Amino acid sequence: MSSPHTVRWGILATGGIAQTFTKDLLVDPATRDVSDIRHTVVAAASSSSANRAKKFLQDTKCPSSAIAYGSYAELVADRNVDIIYVATPHSHHYQNTMLCLEAGKHVLCEKAFTVNAAQAKKLVELAKKKNLFLMEAVWTRYFPLSIEIRKIIESGELGTVHRVIADLSFNEEVEKTWGTEHRMVNMDLAGGALLDLGIYSLTWVFQCLYHTIPPPARRAPQVVSSIEKYSRTGADEKTSMLLTFPSAPSDPTNSHTAHGIALTNLRVATDVDGHGSANPAIRIQGTKGEIMVDHPAYQPTRYTIVMKGDGEAKAEGEGKKVGKKEVVHEIPGGHGMFWEADEAGRCVRDGKLESQGLGWEESVVIMETMDEVRRQGGLRYPDKIESLDYPVEL
């Protein structure tokens, strides 16, 4: 048996999401039955000080040999780094990823990919030009549960899938919880429900109704949406989207559209009591049955498949005729972000420029969808973070 390929990571930024991702990187791959790849962290950078990066490395229990940098420029110049994880706010993704790509580094960039589709296209152009791997870090896509559900849709077991409803919302006293400066509502950081939470609702709609269509037949959806803005900052506090896809998955007649309803809100919750009493968060509805995925949309561990009449629920391969079957996929020994890291690492190892699980074209189409939602709602971020110019000081 050959030794696992080691992926050497650099971590750009030291906030909460970076800590979660880095801790997951260092979880023993054997706990998730992975033997072909392993991860190590060789460096991390803070934009404010090397001491902050050093504390980050210590807190996440990275190898003692890992280097702490006080600037992103130093990190991207490190020859021992194979790939960089960009974990800054949405507003900074374009500038930070451009920096990495210009330095010749492969990149896993947090979602939402960028602030607008034009920025995403520029990143893709540069990655292609420089022959570098680039992937939007939509970790939920790489959960075994998500992959399994996509296969069920593609198999036709649910029949023609006509509708997907997905929600990720939190019931907060927005003024008290986030005020005006917090990244969730700060327009200078591209704050608001859409880019932070709505991306997960859109992820479920797209992975079910777009990704399950054969690539040559995929078409962008028509968009109808509504936004309400937070009065103190102008960020979106509730956003509802109705997407009409030209083709429905597993439609033998190729004559039906499919509707995706993506919801996000900062004032009412998907999971009202915090105990799952209001599940499901996602409903995937076909002519033969449906799949209901429990909250949270970003980190799902349980779904229920319900078949019409005496249909056969094959989710666990038992072949028994049942009307309802619950399927659980526990997350082994971590948060669940290691699966996207495994995918990125394998792509880099194999010389691939993009992931089959979420390719460049689909990331761009999702950004275009959000652009249209913002256009309809009159939501625009400050010019400096919408800009295609590089470099720009933010």
Side-chain angles (χ1 to χ4, degrees):
M1 185 188 212
S2 60
S3 299
H5 177 79
T6 299
V7 186
R8 302 176 301 173
W9 289 85
I11 310 298
L12 191 151
T14 56
I17 193 71
Q19 289 194 30
T20 301
F21 179 81
T22 301
K23 289 176 181 178
D24 262 26
L25 278 181
L26 301 176
V27 171
D28 183 356
T31 62
R32 55 187 182 275
D33 296 322
V34 169
S35 59
D36 64 321
I37 203 157
R38 63 180 295 272
H39 307 279
T40 190
V41 176
V42 298
S46 165
S47 61
S48 58
S49 73
N51 283 338
R52 184 169 180 175
K54 183 178 180 180
K55 185 177 187 304
F56 171 86
L57 291 170
Q58 292 171 342
D59 290 347
T60 52
K61 295 180 171 56
C62 288
S64 59
S65 58
I67 299 172
Y69 292 116
S71 73
Y72 298 156
E74 290 175 287
L75 174 66
V76 302
D78 189 325
R79 295 182 180 180
N80 291 318
V81 172
D82 297 322
I83 181 170
I84 293 177
Y85 172 62
V86 173
T88 47
H90 321 300
S91 52
H92 290 54
H93 289 177
Y94 176 69
Q95 296 294 325
N96 296 154
T97 302
M98 285 289 286
L99 175 70
C100 297
L101 294 173
E102 288 285 9
K105 297 299 185 187
H106 304 295
V107 179
L108 175 64
C109 176
E110 257 309 326
K111 42 91 203 67
F113 203 16
T114 51
V115 166
N116 56 51
Q119 290 181 343
K121 290 175 183 177
K122 292 283 282 187
L123 294 182
V124 167
E125 286 174 11
L126 185 57
K128 191 181 299 183
K129 178 182 176 182
K130 288 184 165 282
N131 203 39
L132 293 169
F133 173 77
L134 172 65
M135 181 175 123
E136 183 181 9
V138 185
W139 60 308
T140 313
R141 286 257 184 163
Y142 300 95
F143 274 45
L145 178 147
S146 294
I147 295 168
E148 185 170 282
I149 287 174
R150 294 199 297 268
K151 288 179 178 177
I152 292 172
I153 294 170
E154 291 168 346
S155 75
E157 184 176 343
L158 295 181
T160 301
V161 177
H162 283 272
R163 185 169 65 185
V164 172
I165 306 167
D167 178 41
L168 182 60
S169 302
F170 292 113
N171 184 351
E172 297 287 350
E173 293 182 52
V174 181
E175 294 81 2
K176 182 178 179 181
T177 305
W178 292 316
T180 59
E181 298 301 317
H182 192 280
R183 68 168 186 83
M184 282 296 296
V185 294
N186 187 336
M187 290 289 281
D188 287 333
L189 298 177
L194 177 61
L195 263 61
D196 200 87
L197 305 180
I199 184 64
Y200 288 106
S201 303
L202 286 169
T203 289
W204 277 99
V205 167
F206 268 87
Q207 74 169 341
C208 294
L209 297 180
Y210 187 85
H211 195 79
T212 57
I213 297 288
R218 293 174 187 169
R219 300 290 183 271
Q222 294 179 338
V223 181
V224 177
S225 63
S226 181
I227 283 177
E228 180 176 334
K229 296 178 183 177
Y230 177 43
S231 62
R232 292 192 180 183
T233 67
D236 68 301
E237 65 172 46
K238 68 178 73 163
T239 297
S240 300
M241 298 161 271
L242 171 59
L243 311 183
T244 300
F245 292 84
S247 301
S250 300
D251 177 13
T253 66
N254 197 30
S255 61
H256 295 287
T257 62
H259 286 175
I261 301 163
L263 307 170
T264 186
N265 199 306
L266 300 184
R267 296 192 186 271
V268 296
T270 312
D271 184 17
V272 180
D273 61 5
H275 299 291
S277 301
N279 274 318
I282 298 104
R283 295 183 70 182
I284 304 157
Q285 299 177 305
T287 53
K288 295 180 181 178
E290 78 168 81
I291 291 174
M292 299 180 291
V293 184
D294 287 4
H295 177 82
Y298 54 84
Q299 193 187 38
T301 59
R302 179 184 287 104
Y303 72 86
T304 303
I305 182 167
V306 182
M307 303 307 294
K308 180 181 178 181
D310 294 324
E312 185 179 358
K314 301 176 182 177
E316 292 182 342
E318 295 183 2
K320 296 178 182 178
K321 284 195 173 184
V322 293
K324 184 176 181 180
K325 171 74 77 174
E326 183 179 281
V327 182
V328 177
H329 285 273
E330 298 294 352
I331 300 170
H335 200 70
M337 302 189 88
F338 34 60
W339 285 309
E340 68 175 353
D342 292 343
E343 171 68 9
R346 290 187 183 108
C347 287
V348 170
R349 178 197 65 191
D350 298 342
K352 296 180 180 178
L353 302 189
E354 56 184 314
S355 166
Q356 208 170 17
L358 178 59
W360 295 339
E361 180 267 345
E362 189 168 352
S363 282
V364 168
V365 171
I366 293 171
M367 290 306 311
E368 289 174 336
T369 300
M370 290 195 287
D371 281 357
E372 177 60 17
V373 170
R374 291 198 296 122
R375 187 195 68 78
Q376 292 181 14
L379 178 63
R380 181 174 174 83
Y381 303 113
D383 288 346
K384 65 181 179 179
I385 64 173
E386 294 261 17
S387 173
L388 297 180
D389 294 338
Y390 171 80
V392 172
E393 190 73 29
L394 297 177

